[in-house]
Amino acid sequence: EVQLQASGGGLVQAGGSLRLSCATSGFTFGDYAIGWYRQAPGKGREGVSCLGRGGYTYYADSLKGRFTISTDNAKNTVYLQMDSLKPEDTAVYYCAAEPMGACDYGMDYWGKGTQVTVSS
C-alpha cells in the first residue's frame, strides 16, 4: 500500500525557514515522482515542486530560489526546504506520488497535509 506522510509544518515569522518532510512507503523509492502541493484558504491547490524519476526537479516559477526539494534515499523521504518565507506561503502543504515517475502526470496518491503559517 502506497503511503505518504507529510510533516514539519508550523508557525514561523516572515523571513524564516521550515523544512517539510514526506515519508513514503509501499513502493520503490525513486521510481515514482513525488510532488509537493499547497492549498491556501479560499484558493485552489497549487503545485510547488516535484522530483521526477531520474532526479529531475520542477519548481513553480514564483518559488524558484526560495524552495528546494531533496531526498534521503535511505529513509525513503523527500524534503522541501522553504527559506525566506512570506505570509502568502501560508497554506496546507501536501505531498503526492505518481507511479510513472513523471511530474507532469496527475498524482495518484496523496498524503495528509501539514499546516504552514507564516506571520508578518
Side-chain angles (χ1 to χ4, degrees), residues 67-80:
F67 289 15
T68 304
I69 194 168
S70 64
T71 66
D72 184 333
N73 293 339
K75 296 181 178 179
N76 292 348
T77 298
V78 178
Y79 301 101
L80 184 69

Side-chain angles (χ1 to χ4, degrees), residues 38 48-49 57-68 83-84 86:
R38 68 184 183 183
V48 173
S49 182
T57 57
Y58 158 84
Y59 295 95
D61 287 342
S62 62
L63 302 176
K64 287 180 181 176
R66 295 196 299 122
F67 289 15
T68 304
D83 298 319
S84 302
K86 304 175 181 180

Side-chain angles (χ1 to χ4, degrees), residues 27-102:
F27 61 93
T28 301
F29 192 74
D31 281 356
Y32 284 33
I34 304 295
W36 284 99
Y37 295 78
R38 68 184 183 183
Q39 187 163 18
K43 295 187 176 181
R45 190 171 60 203
E46 174 189 20
V48 173
S49 182
C50 184
L51 178 67
R53 185 183 300 177
Y56 79 89
T57 57
Y58 158 84
Y59 295 95
D61 287 342
S62 62
L63 302 176
K64 287 180 181 176
R66 295 196 299 122
F67 289 15
T68 304
I69 194 168
S70 64
T71 66
D72 184 333
N73 293 339
K75 296 181 178 179
N76 292 348
T77 298
V78 178
Y79 301 101
L80 184 69
Q81 177 68 39
M82 306 186 296
D83 298 319
S84 302
L85 283 163
K86 304 175 181 180
E88 52 263 43
D89 294 319
T90 294
V92 178
Y93 285 70
Y94 301 88
C95 59
E98 191 287 310
M100 298 302 291

